[in-house]
Amino acid sequence: MLDDGGLRELHHASGGYFGGTCVNEEIIAFLKRIFGGPLLKELQDDYPDDYFELMKTIEQKKCSYKTSADQDKIALKIPVSLFKAFEEGYDCELGTDLENTPFANSVKVERDKLFISKDLFKSFFDKSIKNVVETIKEILVSSEMSNVNVILLVGGYAESPLLTETIADAFPDKKVVVPANPVLSVLEGAIIYGFEPDMIVSRVCRYTYGIATLRKWQLGDPVDKKLTKKGKDTFHWCDDIFDKHVEMGQIVKVGEFQEEKEYFTVEGPEKAILDFYASNKKNPTFVDEEGCFRVGYFVLNLSKKKRNERVLVKISFGGTELIVEVTGEKTGQGIQTSCNFLP
């Protein structure tokens, strides 16, 4: 936090598929092994209310589970419709069937509940928590994070005692803070940011961003990128060039335009589309190479532009949007438009 109350991002956003949803999916995968994938799909399609109740139960058990609890088994309530479908489909009771599976000693059936051993239930968290801890460690080793002494946990997964205890043990020199209602904290933060987008002064780019363009084809460029000569051109163009505007890891001041790049218009079309790309590499060459993906596009009005007129393009990373400004070299007139992000 800065002296004026503004916020400066120290590290780009990171993470992956290992949050609370990952734990839920591990539990669902376990249930598929117990009941079979088709029966779970049937429950979701034919009994959506029962499926919703099952997912709610999984969420509750995930957020309340802790290794220090006295209970040896975790009770997971299962919809009666799922038990009934199993018995009709396999012509046997689930409890009897479990005796012939690897879960014979770790899962028991009593009425409408599965009683899962503590060790088995904890294993549903292993992948998620391991990746969370490793990601935090990777972030904290950077020099920019040397003065960080508090880890703030928000979101539904922050309610999990197992997660908070594991993080506290993994980082004993840090203070782990969980708000009174970590789920609402995310929503409240989004609302506050909506009213005060200028509160974040600068960000660190998670990706390298650029615009797809052309350049003269050079010896060594892929042959499939070599375009046919047109009109008065005395050379071939090379297609799908990644023209970098900002680099991953670069500190970008919110609302400040980056260095302008030059492009050339062509005669004929009244509008032009600048395709906007991101990459997890610092210096990508082509927009279709591994790690690159299209995130949106800018539409430019070229109704008054002439062939080969030079236009200057610069991009600004606003609080909640990307803005491009295009200035004609001859007229000096500039226009601004926002990025149309892909769904």
Side-chain angles (χ1 to χ4, degrees), residues 35 38 80 94 103 107 114 125 129 145 189 277 287 304 323:
F35 292 97
V80 174
L94 180 61
F103 302 113
V107 181
L114 288 182
F125 293 80
I129 290 182
M145 310 298 288
Y277 281 82
V287 297
K304 297 182 180 180
I323 299 173

Side-chain angles (χ1 to χ4, degrees), residues 250-270:
Q250 179 179 336
I251 298 175
V252 177
K253 291 185 178 180
V254 175
E256 182 177 274
F257 280 95
Q258 303 302 306
E259 181 181 354
E260 60 189 13
K261 297 289 189 76
E262 66 176 28
Y263 299 91
F264 291 89
T265 63
V266 294
E267 190 175 16
E270 293 188 355

Side-chain angles (χ1 to χ4, degrees), residues 213-218 221-230 233-241:
T213 187
L214 306 174
R215 65 159 165 76
K216 290 183 180 180
W217 192 84
Q218 303 169 354
D221 284 339
V223 177
D224 60 342
K225 303 291 184 187
K226 190 176 183 179
L227 300 180
T228 304
K229 293 180 182 179
K230 291 184 179 181
D233 291 339
T234 58
F235 54 84
H236 293 278
W237 289 102
C238 187
D239 198 10
D240 294 333
I241 296 297

Side-chain angles (χ1 to χ4, degrees), residues 127-259:
K127 177 182 177 182
S128 167
I129 290 182
K130 177 176 179 291
N131 284 314
V132 169
V133 171
E134 288 182 352
T135 299
I136 296 175
K137 285 182 177 179
E138 291 172 2
I139 292 173
L140 292 179
V141 296
S142 63
S143 58
E144 295 84 359
M145 310 298 288
S146 59
N147 293 325
V148 173
N149 51 30
V150 175
I151 298 177
L152 177 65
L153 303 181
V154 296
Y157 199 18
E159 295 180 331
S160 167
L162 179 59
L163 176 68
T164 55
E165 291 169 5
T166 303
I167 291 179
D169 292 340
F171 305 97
D173 59 328
K174 311 294 182 186
K175 181 180 180 181
V176 178
V177 176
V178 181
N181 195 326
V183 179
L184 280 181
S185 295
V186 178
L187 177 61
E188 291 172 351
I191 293 173
I192 293 172
Y193 184 58
F195 282 98
E196 301 181 44
D198 296 334
M199 66 187 304
I200 298 182
V201 178
S202 65
R203 292 185 178 276
V204 179
C205 286
R206 182 177 185 177
Y207 299 106
T208 295
Y209 292 99
I211 291 175
T213 187
L214 306 174
R215 65 159 165 76
K216 290 183 180 180
W217 192 84
Q218 303 169 354
L219 187 63
D221 284 339
V223 177
D224 60 342
K225 303 291 184 187
K226 190 176 183 179
L227 300 180
T228 304
K229 293 180 182 179
K230 291 184 179 181
K232 300 179 180 180
D233 291 339
T234 58
F235 54 84
H236 293 278
W237 289 102
C238 187
D239 198 10
D240 294 333
I241 296 297
F242 192 114
D243 191 22
K244 181 172 67 174
H245 279 252
V246 293
E247 186 176 285
M248 64 182 297
Q250 179 179 336
I251 298 175
V252 177
K253 291 185 178 180
V254 175
E256 182 177 274
F257 280 95
Q258 303 302 306
E259 181 181 354

